[in-house]
Amino acid sequence: MAEVNFKPLGDRVLVKPIERETMKGGIIIPDTAKEKPMEGEVLATGPGKMTDKGERTAMDIKKGDRVLYGKYSGTEVKMDGETYLIIHQDEILGILG
């Protein structure tokens, strides 16, 4: 697991997208035909969302979880030559077991 010097705020999660295989049945799929990955590994989580009463809600996601998220979820950022996504916890569809 990569170490990144980044701490998300609120209910945001830093995810490293997991690329799918680029070869299908001996045919290499060009980058322009690839779909965006929708699976990733959680590298960091924020402390949780603040409620109107000033209480912090617990995060359901933790560092190291493999998650599934929507195709157009989050904000793509580049740090140290790597591409990551910053996603709100409620944009994550589920944890892969």
Side-chain angles (χ1 to χ4, degrees):
M1 187 173 354
E3 281 296 318
V4 179
N5 191 18
F6 181 82
K7 180 70 176 164
L9 299 176
D11 69 335
R12 291 178 183 87
V13 178
L14 180 68
V15 175
K16 172 71 177 152
I18 298 172
E19 295 291 328
R20 290 284 179 189
E21 241 180 83
T22 57
M23 188 176 272
K24 188 96 170 162
I27 299 171
I28 297 175
I29 301 169
D31 287 342
T32 54
K34 288 184 197 172
E35 285 191 24
K36 283 180 67 175
M38 296 186 313
E39 184 179 323
E41 181 179 3
V42 175
L43 300 180
T45 64
K49 186 184 259 185
M50 290 293 280
T51 65
D52 293 336
K53 295 180 181 178
E55 299 166 354
R56 194 166 298 274
T57 58
M59 295 289 283
D60 296 326
I61 308 295
K62 65 184 182 312
K63 183 177 177 179
D65 284 345
R66 284 186 65 168
V67 295
L68 193 64
Y69 49 87
K71 189 179 245 182
Y72 301 105
S73 296
T75 301
E76 196 173 278
V77 294
K78 288 195 183 248
M79 293 184 279
D80 301 325
E82 294 285 335
T83 301
Y84 302 97
L85 283 174
I86 300 172
I87 304 174
H88 281 277
Q89 177 176 255
D90 51 349
E91 290 183 83
I92 293 175
L93 305 174
I95 300 171
L96 298 168

